[in-house]
Amino acid sequence: QVQLVESGGGLVQAGGSLRLSCAASVSISTIDRMGWYRQAPGKQRELVADITRGGNTKYAESVKGRFTISRDNAKNTLYLQMNSLKPEDTAVYYCKANSYFPRPMEYWGQGTQVTVSS
């Protein structure tokens, strides 16, 4: 069982920055893929960015050039650096972890609120 705890959300003005953290209860070097998702009111949860164990990253078009995902295996923590924030980035941000062996498993954190004021 993997427990994920997000932190770092809050209220920020447009153009500002936040860094989200996701602390895992296990060594993240054993986790194949980790990612950040977000869900705005009335909308479906969507992928923001993810990163493989090998360091390959993928970003939603809407955040490319503004957000950076990274993982620190020594601290068992996933990060999302968010710069040039826009009101449309307002959402609850969730951390997700996927392991594929010996069987596919998926874990979610409880979420952290990010609110960007105009």
Side-chain angles (χ1 to χ4, degrees):
Q1 186 76 5
V2 177
Q3 293 183 328
L4 303 170
V5 179
E6 300 99 333
S7 61
L11 173 64
V12 64
Q13 288 188 331
S17 298
L18 283 174
R19 187 176 80 157
L20 305 183
S21 300
C22 172
S25 61
V26 300
S27 171
I28 66 170
S29 63
T30 65
I31 299 176
D32 295 296
R33 182 182 296 272
M34 298 189 75
W36 290 98
Y37 289 70
R38 67 187 181 187
Q39 187 166 21
K43 295 188 177 181
Q44 288 190 331
R45 192 172 297 188
E46 63 176 1
L47 171 70
V48 176
D50 69 13
I51 184 168
T52 67
R53 185 164 53 177
N56 294 319
T57 58
K58 180 172 63 179
Y59 294 90
E61 286 295 326
S62 60
V63 307
K64 279 184 180 178
R66 300 188 297 123
F67 291 9
T68 303
I69 189 171
S70 61
R71 55 195 290 172
D72 186 334
N73 289 348
K75 295 183 178 180
N76 295 325
T77 301
L78 178 74
Y79 299 101
L80 184 69
Q81 178 66 43
M82 306 186 294
N83 299 327
S84 302
L85 282 160
K86 304 176 181 180
E88 50 264 43
D89 295 316
T90 295
V92 178
Y93 284 70
Y94 298 90
C95 175
K96 188 179 85 163
N98 288 90
S99 293
Y100 301 124
F101 299 101
R103 64 186 185 278
M105 298 293 287
E106 182 174 283
Y107 306 94
W108 290 89
Q110 82 289 349
T112 185
Q113 176 71 46
V114 172
T115 303
V116 184
S117 63
S118 57

